[in-house]
């Protein structure tokens, strides 16, 4: 792919992602494009234009960049992002938070190439934030001793 075509595609993809209001939402979306069996990122419309190998490379790179961006946020900004993301979900917030505390669906949002230290930081930050939000919503703890 020519550098000009790649730059135009990258710009178009970033505009698409910009429609998702939070970085956390973008992370969730990017992870949803990863085939859980192969680890390859798939997007039918893009693949029709540029081929599946280029789609995988583009989305993989963007997923990693968004993940790094999230890790650079302070806890206050992450909390604001998480709250905004949760507000955009359908369903009862208390049930969602309780469910998230139980099964930790955000584990799947981590790019495969992530270093262990980054993975642990992401998970520990989200667990802390969910505990803070849990208290605010009055969600019972999954640990009866806490």
């Amino acid at each position: 792919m020519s550098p000009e075509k790649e730059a135009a595609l990258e710009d178009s993809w970033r505009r698409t992602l910009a429609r998702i209001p939070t970085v956390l939402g973008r992370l969730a979306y990017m992870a949803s494009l990863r085939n859980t069996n192969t680890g390859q990122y798939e997007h039918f419309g893009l693949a029709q234009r540029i081929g599946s190998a280029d789609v995988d490379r583009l989305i993989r790179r963007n997923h990693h960049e968004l993940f790094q961006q999230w890790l650079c946020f302070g806890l206050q900004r992450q909390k604001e992002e998480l709250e905004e993301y949760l507000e955009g979900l359908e369903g009862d917030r208390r049930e969602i938070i309780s469910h998230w505390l139980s099964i930790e669906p955000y584990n799947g949002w981590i790019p495969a190439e992530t270093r262990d230290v980054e993975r642990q930081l992401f998970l520990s930050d989200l667990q802390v934030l969910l505990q803070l939000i849990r208290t605010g919503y009055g969600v019972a703890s999954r640990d009866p001793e806490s």
Side-chain angles (χ1 to χ4, degrees):
M1 178 180 341
S2 72
E4 296 82 19
K5 185 175 180 180
E6 187 168 351
L9 181 64
E10 183 79 31
D11 184 55
S12 172
W13 181 246
R14 288 188 191 278
R15 281 194 313 269
T16 297
L17 290 178
R19 294 180 189 145
I20 302 171
T22 64
V23 170
L24 195 61
R26 292 178 203 141
L27 274 177
Y29 175 67
M30 297 294 244
S32 77
L33 298 175
R34 184 175 48 210
N35 182 312
T36 57
N37 296 314
T38 65
Q40 300 296 306
Y41 291 87
E42 301 170 349
H43 188 285
F44 181 78
L46 284 175
Q48 296 298 314
R49 292 175 42 202
I50 64 170
S52 57
D54 287 333
V55 166
D56 177 66
R57 188 174 54 252
L58 171 70
I59 298 175
R60 184 176 304 278
R61 182 178 60 242
N62 277 240
H63 189 189
H64 187 72
E65 289 170 1
L66 283 168
F67 187 77
Q68 294 298 316
Q69 184 179 358
W70 170 266
L71 291 179
C72 289
F73 290 159
L75 279 176
Q76 181 60 39
R77 172 75 187 273
Q78 288 179 346
K79 184 174 183 279
E80 292 165 2
E81 285 264 331
L82 177 57
E83 288 173 331
E84 185 176 348
Y85 179 76
L86 290 170
E87 286 174 17
L89 298 178
E90 292 183 20
D92 180 84
R93 298 295 161 265
R94 294 169 47 113
E95 288 180 20
I96 292 169
I97 293 166
S98 178
H99 183 70
W100 278 36
L101 288 167
S102 297
I103 68 161
E104 301 175 349
Y106 46 83
N107 276 303
W109 300 353
I110 302 169
E113 298 79 17
T114 300
R115 296 178 308 177
D116 285 341
V117 67
E118 294 169 324
R119 179 182 306 276
Q120 291 306 318
L121 178 60
F122 177 78
L123 294 174
S124 64
D125 284 354
L126 271 175
Q127 289 163 358
V128 165
L129 295 170
L130 284 168
Q131 290 298 329
L132 289 171
I133 292 171
R134 174 190 67 82
T135 303
Y137 277 99
V139 175
S141 174
R142 63 182 174 173
D143 181 1
E145 300 203 11
S146 68

